[in-house]
Amino acid sequence: MKRIITLTVRDRSGVLNRVTGLLQRRQFNIASISVGPTETEGVSKMTLVVEVEDEQRLEQVTKQLNKQIDVLKVSDITDKAIVVRELALIKVSSSAQLRSEINGIIDPFRALIIDVSKDSLAVQITGRPDKIDALIELLRPYGIKEIARTGLTAFQRGHQPQVNDIPSYTLLK
Amino acid sequence: MKVEAKLEFQPSTEPKIGADLLINLLIKEGVDTIFGYPGGAVLPIYDGIYRAKGRINHILFRHEQGMIHAAEGYARITGKPGVVIATSGPGATNLVTGITDAMMDSLPLVIFTGQVARSVIGTDAFQEADVMAITTPITKHNYQVQDITDLPRIVKEAFHIASTGRPGPVLVDVPKDISASILDSDVPEDACIDLPGYQPTLKPNPLQIRKLADTLEKASRPVILSGAGVLHAHASDELTAFAEKHQLPVVNTLLGLGTFPADSPLSLGMGGMHGTYAANMALYECDLLINFGARFDDRLTGNLKHFAPNAKVAHIDIDPAEIGKNVPTQIPIVADAKEALKELLSQTNASPEHGSWLEKLTNYKQEYPLWYKLDPSGMSPQWLIEAIHKATKGEAIVATDVGQHQMWAAQYYTFNRPHRWITSGGLGTMGFGFPAAIGAQVASPESTVVAIVGDAGFQMTLQELSVIYEQNLPVKIFIVNNGALGMVRQWQELLHGNRISESILGSQPNFVKLAESYGIRGQRIDTQEDLIASLPELIAYDGPLLVDCRVMQQEKVFPMMAPGKGLHELIGVKPI
Ligand SMILES: Cc1ncc(C[n+]2csc(CCOP(=O)(O)OP(=O)(O)O)c2C)c(N)n1
């Protein structure tokens, strides 16, 4: 199963290596990872998408991440009410004649054409990864030359519907 | 003019450098001994050590691996971090085995490595190695000092992290220009720890304690598993009190030997691959397993399918990540073992009714004790260990290397007290035993320290004979000499169709002469009679000593749980 795990970490040299090295050593697959600064100076946030077999492995990965000295907080937010976004840049083969046809496809996705050349154009799309996947499938027949994706980033919505206010990480699960 | 020139050579007028600050910080942390080896990148630090003569003791080893194992032995006995200093590049990479060993066995170390100057880091400079990357997976934490003003905080944090929670090695990489930098007089030596991401849980959750107490009350086949966490928590007394209060049988892990008195009727001895029948069957048949500070290593559990298959498992560990890692756990308790035991002792629950279980286990003990056959013409290794046990009244500090002799020492050198047993459990590092014994003797100069080593493993770090000679450390080395990589030979005989491949040592040094060439007394023992005649005098000998004990090569360690097998599938439980 794919899980979305967010980490807040101290912005110290080597911290990304600590996290990815740990996941590799303990045989966890990283589907995507994104890192950036947060509202607090000296604190960064990582969003990991990891592939785990079962609950036990999931518990292990969060516990092992928590053990890192530079990791401040680990949350598995997969089952929370969350906002998830990813950004993708897609370069599609396209002659001038096809441009408006492609425009028609990308428009409902609220994607933008951000670069045009003689035989290609570049589309920028932001959204949930499945939305990006869907657009990529629609564009594939035109010939995709290049894709660059950021990996997803996410956080919890301001309002969580359920009352079960369990902390995101508990030792007593 | 003359006066001025003279003043220049007065040490007191030399400017203070980063290294002086470092040494001051170590002294402040209560460090009495540095296990070290100099080199280019730590020359400034050695200036600091030179100037601090009399305030801190430095022991020069002969190989960085030897010195870090010594620091591990020191840490095992004192509970304080062993402090290691090595140079950059090869000095640092020579430490890797010891760092990994300490990580696996949760030993507190604070390691300082030199690094090339900051201006050339990343240029493949002379003796540059990426020590941070190399040691990230094998340390609890590591630092590279980027600014001299960070040093006081880093040193404080390093000692704190190494010695609290689940202990472990912490490495501090010190670029040469930092240790050589001339100090502004206003670099403050005091610093605060700044570790918001590191807060080990010590106190147990009271609800979980109650749950365990209630479950125990209803159990009919309870057993305690006691591991090295009990040592780190100094909780042997509490563990013993708890076991005795409820008459609970106790199994020790290899590293947990000594946490519970071996001569107690409740003691089942060691569990695992070469554990006793009674210990392993108790783990197999129990309905409640209470694990204090053991990590369910595979050499203990065997095939997990057959590990405590009908038991509820309670696991008390200071490291939450160990709970549920290998064995599903119904009662997880994140805590220091001592805190948890104190809470458990204060519960008012009745004891379980498990008389018939105790009877059964006692029968197992009587029916399937450890056994071996005496060698009529020479010496059997198990007998040798028993003889050493007797001659030292079971009171020695015993350090072992890795292999058959290690398992025999674990089986036959039984302990009634903790903090006397030093062995490489998790990594199984050959070459560990002798230098670890040196560290133990440094930590406890008055104790009788015995190194029980194999003839092969000893040769991996024997260069440290110089150290025991130089420091006049009365370590007693007993080589259990079977002329083979005994444990490998045993596996080949039993599990690889007797294909004895590259496990017999074709030649050996004359160990007695070897010792003598280092200035140390050496003695060879060939038979039981020889040993009986000389052992009391050897143990009483006030100085370093090497005893080359010739034992039969064919002897095997039994019982044995073959790899992939379960606890109930021991072989060699009865004399063959
Ligand atoms: C550094 C290292 N290399 C290899 C091994 C694998 N190994 C485990 S036990 C053993 C044999 C040890 O022989 P010896 O030191 O003579 O002890 P014995 O088993 O004969 O008592 C070997 C090679 C190891 N544990 N450590």
Side-chain angles (χ1 to χ4, degrees):
Chain A
M1 54 185 176
K2 274 214 169 80
R3 307 293 297 188
I4 304 172
I5 295 172
T6 59
L7 314 177
T8 48
V9 300
R10 298 200 96 182
D11 198 3
R12 291 211 164 138
S13 95
V15 64
L16 182 61
N17 181 30
R18 290 184 199 281
V19 168
T20 55
L22 164 70
L23 294 170
Q24 183 210 11
R25 186 165 74 85
R26 302 224 177 236
Q27 300 203 12
F28 292 100
N29 274 327
I30 310 174
S32 81
I33 182 166
S34 68
V35 196
T38 63
E39 71 286 357
T40 312
E41 205 194 308
V43 175
S44 293
K45 176 156 175 159
M46 294 187 191
T47 309
L48 301 171
V49 179
V50 291
E51 184 71 52
V52 291
E53 297 93 86
D54 52 38
E55 281 292 327
Q56 192 208 347
R57 291 280 289 166
L58 174 63
E59 189 179 312
Q60 253 305 292
V61 72
T62 54
K63 283 176 167 180
Q64 291 294 347
L65 288 167
N66 246 306
K67 240 169 95 165
Q68 291 293 318
I69 308 283
D70 284 340
V71 171
L72 302 174
K73 188 163 191 276
V74 182
S75 315
D76 175 1
I77 60 168
T78 320
D79 302 328
K80 303 275 167 158
I82 50 176
V83 193
V84 177
R85 289 295 179 270
E86 183 175 7
L87 182 136
L89 302 176
I90 309 161
K91 196 182 283 170
V92 190
S93 306
S94 161
S95 56
Q97 302 94 293
L98 280 174
R99 213 167 286 154
S100 66
E101 187 177 327
I102 289 176
N103 234 327
I105 292 172
I106 69 170
D107 201 41
F109 288 84
R110 284 189 278 161
L112 303 169
I113 292 175
I114 55 165
D115 184 47
V116 177
S117 70
K118 199 157 73 347
D119 54 2
S120 73
L121 54 79
V123 177
Q124 170 195 314
I125 173 170
T126 313
R128 295 186 62 99
D130 52 349
K131 172 175 150 184
I132 295 174
D133 292 342
L135 180 62
I136 289 171
E137 282 320 303
L138 289 173
L139 292 176
R140 207 175 283 289
Y142 297 92
I144 289 179
K145 294 181 125 177
E146 197 177 343
I147 295 178
R149 297 174 72 152
T150 57
L152 65 78
T153 189
F155 57 35
Q156 300 190 32
R157 288 181 187 277
H159 175 71
Q160 294 289 312
Q162 291 103 339
V163 211
N164 62 351
D165 217 17
I166 38 168
S168 53
Y169 169 66
T170 163
L171 304 172
L172 307 176
K173 217 161 25 189
Chain B
M1 274 303 280
K2 238 182 174 175
V3 176
E4 265 178 37
K6 208 175 164 193
L7 269 179
E8 257 181 35
F9 293 100
Q10 296 270 316
S12 58
T13 62
E14 278 173 38
K16 274 186 82 184
I17 60 172
D20 297 307
L21 172 62
L22 174 62
I23 301 300
N24 275 350
L25 295 169
L26 295 184
I27 291 168
K28 254 189 169 162
E29 289 292 337
V31 175
D32 49 39
T33 306
I34 295 170
F35 299 84
Y37 206 101
V42 287
L43 280 172
I45 296 181
Y46 275 81
D47 270 347
I49 289 171
Y50 186 84
R51 286 195 279 265
K53 270 248 153 66
R55 292 198 296 145
I56 197 159
N57 182 26
H58 177 281
I59 303 180
L60 174 67
F61 280 72
R62 297 299 187 268
H63 188 299
E64 286 88 354
Q65 183 185 355
M67 83 194 183
I68 190 168
H69 291 327
E72 291 182 80
Y74 174 93
R76 181 59 90 198
I77 293 305
T78 59
K80 295 198 306 186
V83 174
V84 170
I85 297 180
T87 193
S88 67
T93 54
N94 270 349
L95 295 176
V96 165
T97 301
I99 301 175
T100 315
D101 191 89
M103 184 71 172
M104 291 288 263
D105 286 351
S106 311
L107 288 169
L109 297 181
V110 177
I111 302 142
F112 295 89
T113 48
Q115 184 53 278
V116 299
R118 281 171 300 167
S119 55
V120 292
I121 288 178
T123 65
D124 306 314
F126 178 64
Q127 294 194 327
E128 180 180 6
D130 187 353
V131 171
M132 292 299 287
I134 291 169
T135 62
T136 292
I138 55 170
T139 50
K140 188 169 170 189
H141 197 55
N142 58 7
Y143 294 89
Q144 188 171 66
V145 185
Q146 293 293 346
D147 190 319
I148 186 70
T149 60
D150 291 337
L151 191 66
R153 175 184 56 81
I154 289 176
V155 169
K156 207 166 193 179
E157 289 182 2
F159 278 86
H160 179 69
I161 292 170
S163 56
T164 57
R166 178 178 179 176
V170 178
L171 181 139
V172 182
D173 199 31
V174 187
K176 186 173 185 179
D177 58 315
I178 296 250
S179 53
S181 64
I182 302 206
L183 282 186
D184 281 348
S185 54
D186 55 358
V187 174
E189 284 194 11
D190 283 317
C192 287
I193 283 172
D194 175 25
L195 296 167
Y198 177 70
Q199 274 133 5
T201 306
L202 298 180
K203 296 251 185 252
N205 178 326
L207 293 176
Q208 294 297 97
I209 291 287
R210 194 147 343 123
K211 187 169 166 193
L212 173 53
D214 291 343
T215 310
L216 174 59
E217 186 172 347
K218 289 187 228 101
S220 45
R221 298 186 308 280
V223 64
I224 288 176
L225 176 66
S226 175
V230 175
L231 290 175
H232 296 303
H234 293 267
S236 284
D237 290 347
E238 288 79 2
L239 179 92
T240 306
F242 179 62
E244 282 173 356
K245 179 177 174 188
H246 296 296
Q247 288 297 299
L248 303 173
V250 179
V251 174
N252 280 307
T253 65
L254 173 66
L255 290 185
L257 290 169
T259 55
F260 188 73
D263 66 2
S264 161
L266 291 169
S267 172
L268 302 176
M270 180 173 72
M273 182 168 272
H274 295 294
T276 65
Y277 182 82
N280 285 345
M281 288 310 284
L283 294 173
Y284 181 68
E285 293 181 9
C286 62
D287 70 347
L288 174 64
L289 170 56
I290 311 175
N291 172 353
F292 291 99
R295 62 185 176 85
F296 286 133
D297 173 66
D298 57 82
R299 288 284 151 111
L300 174 88
T301 63
N303 189 330
L304 284 171
K305 227 178 26 212
H306 303 300
F307 183 74
N310 302 311
K312 280 205 172 111
V313 174
H315 188 170
I316 296 89
D317 206 300
I318 200 158
D319 179 0
E322 287 304 340
I323 301 178
K325 184 179 79 177
N326 296 336
V327 173
T329 301
Q330 288 73 35
I331 310 175
I333 300 179
V334 180
D336 175 82
K338 195 184 193 100
E339 299 288 339
L341 278 158
K342 276 198 219 155
E343 286 305 314
L344 284 167
L345 280 166
S346 70
Q347 303 295 307
T348 52
N349 297 60
S351 293
E353 282 172 26
H354 61 299
S356 59
W357 170 238
L358 285 180
E359 225 166 86
K360 185 173 196 181
L361 295 175
T362 306
N363 277 341
Y364 284 159
K365 272 169 79 168
Q366 280 159 3
E367 189 65 18
Y368 302 97
L370 292 170
W371 63 272
Y372 64 88
K373 288 188 179 150
L374 286 173
D375 180 358
S377 55
M379 187 156 51
S380 74
Q382 300 94 328
W383 180 87
L384 168 65
I385 307 284
E386 283 197 315
I388 296 172
H389 181 264
K390 212 184 282 163
T392 54
K393 304 186 183 66
E395 291 284 315
I397 291 177
V398 178
T400 77
D401 214 75
V402 169
Q404 290 182 311
H405 65 280
Q406 175 189 30
M407 292 300 124
W408 287 318
Q411 291 176 333
Y412 292 98
Y413 199 106
T414 53
F415 294 91
N416 291 326
R417 286 205 286 153
H419 305 290
R420 319 243 105 201
W421 168 243
I422 308 170
T423 199
S424 167
L427 198 63
T429 307
M430 282 172 74
F432 171 86
F434 168 46
I438 300 177
Q441 189 78 77
V442 169
S444 186
E446 303 305 320
S447 300
T448 302
V449 175
V450 174
I452 297 176
V453 299
D455 44 324
F458 177 61
Q459 294 187 60
M460 289 196 176
T461 45
L462 67 79
Q463 72 284 346
E464 308 306 343
L465 286 168
S466 285
V467 175
I468 55 172
Y469 168 73
E470 227 166 66
Q471 307 277 331
N472 194 26
L473 294 167
V475 174
K476 310 279 176 288
I477 305 163
F478 286 86
I479 303 178
V480 183
N481 188 346
N482 54 12
L485 312 182
M487 189 57 96
V488 173
R489 203 205 61 79
Q490 169 167 348
W491 280 48
Q492 290 173 337
E493 180 187 326
L494 296 177
L495 306 168
H496 290 262
N498 207 23
R499 291 180 294 281
I500 306 300
S501 177
E502 303 296 325
S503 58
I504 305 298
L505 292 166
S507 72
Q508 273 182 332
N510 178 326
F511 285 110
V512 172
K513 280 192 179 157
L514 180 79
E516 285 167 359
S517 77
Y518 278 95
I520 290 166
R521 178 177 167 194
Q523 181 145 344
R524 176 173 161 164
I525 301 278
D526 287 273
T527 62
Q528 278 182 209
E529 290 71 48
D530 277 4
L531 192 75
I532 291 169
S534 36
L535 195 55
E537 187 268 321
L538 291 174
I539 295 293
Y541 179 68
D542 185 23
L545 170 73
L546 180 150
V547 190
D548 176 11
C549 305
R550 301 304 174 101
V551 300
M552 49 206 268
Q553 189 174 78
Q554 306 302 317
E555 195 57 19
K556 289 176 279 295
V557 185
F558 286 125
M560 178 174 182
M561 172 171 64
K565 298 289 185 189
L567 288 166
H568 60 308
E569 295 170 295
L570 287 184
I571 56 170
V573 294
K574 283 263 186 192
I576 310 166

